[in-house]
Amino acid sequence: MSQVCVVGTGYVGLTTAVGLAHLGHTVIGADINDEKIATLQAGGVPFVEEGMADLLAEGLRRKRLSFTTDVATAVSKAEFVLLCLPTPQGADGNADLSAVRAAVKSMARHLAADSVVITKSTVPVGSAFEITTLIDRGDVMVVSNPEFLREGTAIHDFMHPDRIVIGAQDQAAAARAVSLYLKLAAPIVVTDPVSAEIIKYVANSFLATKISYANAVARLCEETSADVRDVLLGVGYDTRIGHEFLKPGPGWGGSCFPKDTQALLSLARQYGFEFEPLVGAVAVNDQQKARVVDKIMKLTDKKNPVVGIWGLTFKARTDDIRDSPSIAIAEALIERGAKVVGYDPTVENEIGQITVSSDPYAALDGADVLAVLTEWEEFRWLDAEKAAEAMRGRGVVDARNILSRSNWEHAGFEYVGIGT
Ligand code: UDX
C-alpha cells in the first residue's frame, strides 16, 4: 500500500482521497482553503454526495486519511501526488491550466525523490508534457489518469469503474500508477499521456452527443406523434447502442459536459477542422433549453406569468447548480417577463432573480405554469391535486418525463412532456 497525497479536495479530489483510503492506501488531502480542510478534518462533507460522509469517517477513524493546508510538506512525504485542481473553461474554450501550473511550480522542489505526479482532473491535451517540463526533475514522472466520476454516484463509480486509463511515457511509472488500483476489478488501458488526455474529452463529448441525439429524436417524436419513451426503449435494446445516456430532457449541463465539449471543439479548431458531430450536439443542446422555455410560455396567455420550477440542480442527487439547464431556462423565462419561483431538495438560497422556496407546493403559490426540470425521484410522488390548489393556472411542463400524465390530467392540468 502506498503513501498518497491528493492536491485539491474538491469533488474529484475528495472522492479520490476517500476511495484510495478505503482501498488501503495512506492518503493526505491537501488544499489551500483552510475552511474546507477544517470541515473535512471534522468529518464534514461540504457538498451533497451519497456515501461520502461514511467513507470519510472510515478513513479518519482508521487513520488512513488526514488533511492539511501545508501542501509542500504533504507532497514531500508522498510516493504519489494526485493533482485534482480546478481547470475551468478558459477564454479560448480550452481548459485553463493556471491553477495546476501554479501548484506544480510551488511544489516541484518539495516532491519526494522518485515520486509519481498524476493528473486526475480534466486538463488540456498536452498537459502531462507541460507539467513534466515545469517540474524539471529527472527522477519525478508524470502520469495522466483521468477520472470518470459522475456526481451523485461518484463513490460507486470510483469503486466500480468501467475502466481505468493510465497515460505515461515511462513504463515503470505506468506500472506504479496501476498498482494504486489493483484491488479494483476493472479493465486497465495503458497508453501514452496525450491519448489518455484525449480519452476523457472524447468520452464526455460522446455522452453529450448521445443525449443530444435523444433530444433530437424527442423533437421528431413530437412532430410525428410518436412516443419517445417507446422509441428509445426500442433503440436502446440494441447492445451496440444501449439505454444509458439516451434520456431526453432539458439539455445537458453540469461542471463537465459544457466545458469538455467546448475544449474538444477548440482542440479540433487548433488543428484546422470542425468536429462536426459535436458542433451539432452543442447546437441541439442550446435549442433544447430554448424549446423548454417555449413550451412553458405556450401554456399561459399571461404577459408576465408566474412560473414554478421543481428542480434547480443540473441533475438529481447533487446540490450542484453549475451550468444547470434549469438555471439557464429560469433566466430565459425571467428575460421574457416571467417571475420564477424554484424548489429543489438541495437548494436553499435564491439564485440571482430566481426566488427559492423550501416547499414544493409553496413554490407554486399563484403560479401559471409548473416546470419540472430535474429528475428528483421525490417529484414523481408529489400531489397533482395539491399543486392545482396552490396554482392560478393549469399548465405543467415535465422536461424529464417523470410525472404521471394521467394523474396530472386528472387534476385538470394541461400536461406537456418531452417527445411524448
Ligand atoms: C459527467 C460524466 O458522466 C463523468 O464521467 C465525468 O467524469 C464528469 O462529467 P456529471 O457531470 O456528474 O458526470 O453528470 P452526468 O451524470 O454525466 O450528466 C450530465 C448531464 O446530462 C446532466 O445535466 C444530466 O441531467 C444530463 N443527462 C444525462 C440527460 O439529459 N440524459 C441522460 O440520459 C443522461
Side-chain angles (χ1 to χ4, degrees):
M1 290 296 139
S2 304
Q3 300 286 329
V4 179
C5 174
V6 174
V7 181
T9 56
Y11 160 75
V12 170
L14 188 57
T15 308
T16 306
V18 302
L20 288 173
H22 183 73
L23 295 182
H25 302 292
T26 304
V27 183
I28 182 157
D31 201 300
I32 49 171
N33 182 333
D34 39 12
E35 208 178 307
K36 203 184 262 180
I37 290 300
T39 305
L40 294 170
Q41 270 165 339
V45 180
F47 47 82
V48 172
E49 187 62 48
E50 200 177 307
M52 185 71 84
D54 291 345
L55 275 200
L56 175 61
E58 177 198 280
L60 292 169
R61 194 178 62 243
R62 292 191 171 168
K63 306 218 178 313
R64 286 199 197 134
L65 188 56
S66 58
F67 296 94
T68 182
T69 51
D70 183 357
V71 183
T73 307
V75 301
S76 72
K77 295 176 186 155
E79 299 169 56
F80 295 96
V81 173
L82 277 67
L83 302 177
C84 300
L85 294 157
T87 49
Q89 191 175 321
D92 61 353
N94 267 314
D96 176 355
L97 199 63
S98 47
V100 175
R101 253 185 226 122
V104 166
K105 272 189 205 155
S106 67
M107 75 174 62
R109 66 193 172 87
H110 301 288
L111 291 165
D114 301 318
S115 55
V116 177
V117 171
I118 299 180
T119 57
K120 214 151 216 333
S121 39
T122 309
V123 291
V125 171
S127 294
F129 290 129
E130 187 181 337
I131 293 168
T132 306
T133 312
L134 285 174
I135 293 176
D136 193 23
R137 282 180 45 174
D139 63 326
V140 175
M141 295 296 155
V142 178
V143 170
S144 165
N145 169 219
E147 54 82 21
F148 301 97
L149 309 166
R150 285 167 300 175
E151 290 185 29
T153 51
I155 300 287
H156 174 273
D157 292 351
F158 182 92
M159 295 302 168
H160 308 278
D162 287 338
R163 78 308 210 177
I164 290 164
V165 174
I166 304 286
Q169 277 301 94
D170 179 88
Q171 279 201 0
R176 286 175 64 198
V178 167
S179 75
L180 281 174
Y181 302 105
L182 280 182
K183 281 197 181 165
L184 299 176
I188 298 179
V189 179
V190 178
T191 180
D192 61 278
V194 172
S195 301
E197 288 161 351
I198 287 186
I199 286 169
K200 174 61 189 270
Y201 286 114
V202 172
N204 272 358
S205 296
F206 192 86
L207 292 169
T209 304
K210 201 173 171 194
I211 300 165
S212 278
Y213 194 86
N215 283 331
V217 172
R219 184 170 185 178
L220 188 67
C221 291
E222 285 168 16
E223 302 293 347
T224 56
S225 83
D227 188 325
V228 76
R229 289 169 300 185
D230 293 345
V231 170
L232 292 177
L233 192 66
V235 169
Y237 274 119
D238 186 323
T239 51
R240 295 168 301 175
I241 298 174
H243 288 117
E244 297 265 350
F245 281 70
L246 205 55
K247 281 191 207 72
W252 37 265
S255 65
C256 292
F257 283 6
K259 88 176 163 62
D260 291 355
T261 48
Q262 286 308 322
L264 183 53
L265 287 170
S266 156
L267 180 67
R269 279 180 200 135
Q270 274 169 39
Y271 290 94
F273 77 102
E274 289 293 325
F275 200 98
E276 299 289 0
L278 199 51
V279 173
V282 170
V284 167
N285 202 48
D286 292 337
Q287 287 159 21
Q288 192 67 6
K289 286 178 267 190
R291 292 185 69 241
V292 172
V293 173
D294 284 343
K295 279 171 187 275
I296 294 167
M297 293 303 271
K298 269 193 194 144
L299 283 180
T300 172
D301 49 17
K302 296 265 177 337
K303 208 168 165 288
N304 300 104
V306 179
V307 180
I309 289 184
W310 284 352
L312 298 166
T313 52
F314 81 100
K315 65 172 183 180
R317 295 177 294 281
T318 174
D319 59 351
D320 198 343
I321 57 165
R322 286 177 291 174
D323 256 316
S324 170
S326 306
I327 306 299
I329 290 165
E331 283 169 351
L333 288 166
I334 291 167
E335 190 120 305
R336 283 174 64 172
K339 176 176 181 284
V340 175
V341 184
Y343 165 74
D344 189 286
T346 61
V347 179
E348 279 173 18
N349 300 324
E350 60 183 18
I351 305 158
Q353 291 182 62
I354 310 165
T355 312
V356 174
S357 171
S358 59
D359 176 85
Y361 302 107
L364 302 184
D365 190 23
D368 297 292
V369 185
L370 160 64
V372 180
L373 300 182
T374 312
E375 75 286 22
W376 285 100
E377 184 60 20
E378 66 172 76
F379 294 164
R380 263 180 221 282
W381 313 110
L382 292 177
D383 188 344
E385 308 278 353
K386 228 170 139 182
E389 271 168 39
M391 286 172 66
R392 173 167 71 176
R394 288 290 177 273
V396 56
V397 173
D398 178 9
R400 299 281 185 170
N401 294 340
I402 56 168
L403 303 182
S404 153
R405 176 193 283 268
S406 59
N407 275 358
W408 285 76
E409 285 181 346
H410 190 254
F413 279 90
E414 185 173 348
Y415 174 97
V416 175
I418 301 281
T420 168

